[in-house]
């Protein structure tokens, strides 16, 4: 299983716009990708392609989350998703 940490860069956290951008990108990969707050048990990780899961995660600016995926292309997928999370979409 591939795992990457990312720090939420959007000033108001992983709310509607950044969550929508992230969920859309996660859904483009033919992988099961999960997201959880750093330190949460693996079995509590949520579907990264689900906007509702992302909104309920409630990740704030500066908080670290863990992305996990398994399969062909997992490394590249998680690198792309980390880039999205570490971009301040509220500044655009």
């Amino acid at each position: 299983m591939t795992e990457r940490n990312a720090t939420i860069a959007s000033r108001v956290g992983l709310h509607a716009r950044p969550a929508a951008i992230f969920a859309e990108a996660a859904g483009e990969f033919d992988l099961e990708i999960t997201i959880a707050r750093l330190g949460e048990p693996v079995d509590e990780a949520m579907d990264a392609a689900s906007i509702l899961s992302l909104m309920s995660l409630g990740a704030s600016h500066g908080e670290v989350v863990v992305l996990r995926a398994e399969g062909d292309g997992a490394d590249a997928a998680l690198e792309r998703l980390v880039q999205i999370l570490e971009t301040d979409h509220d500044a655009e």
Side-chain angles (χ1 to χ4, degrees), residues 3-8 14 34-46 57-60 62-68 82 85-86:
E3 184 176 301
R4 296 282 187 283
N5 291 351
T7 302
I8 305 298
L14 196 53
T34 63
I35 186 170
R37 290 175 182 228
L38 184 64
E40 287 186 350
V42 173
D43 62 341
E44 291 184 19
M46 299 181 198
L57 186 66
S60 302
E63 190 166 358
V64 177
V65 295
V66 181
L67 302 174
R68 295 181 183 93
V82 165
L85 290 176
E86 293 187 343

Side-chain angles (χ1 to χ4, degrees), residues 2 4 9-11 13-14 16 29 32-33 35-36 38-39 41 50-51 54-55 64 75 83-86 91:
T2 302
R4 296 282 187 283
S10 288
R11 287 176 274 169
L14 196 53
F29 298 102
E32 182 179 322
I33 302 170
I35 186 170
L38 184 64
S50 166
I51 187 94
L54 295 172
M55 298 294 289
V64 177
D75 287 322
Q83 288 176 344
I84 291 170
L85 290 176
E86 293 187 343

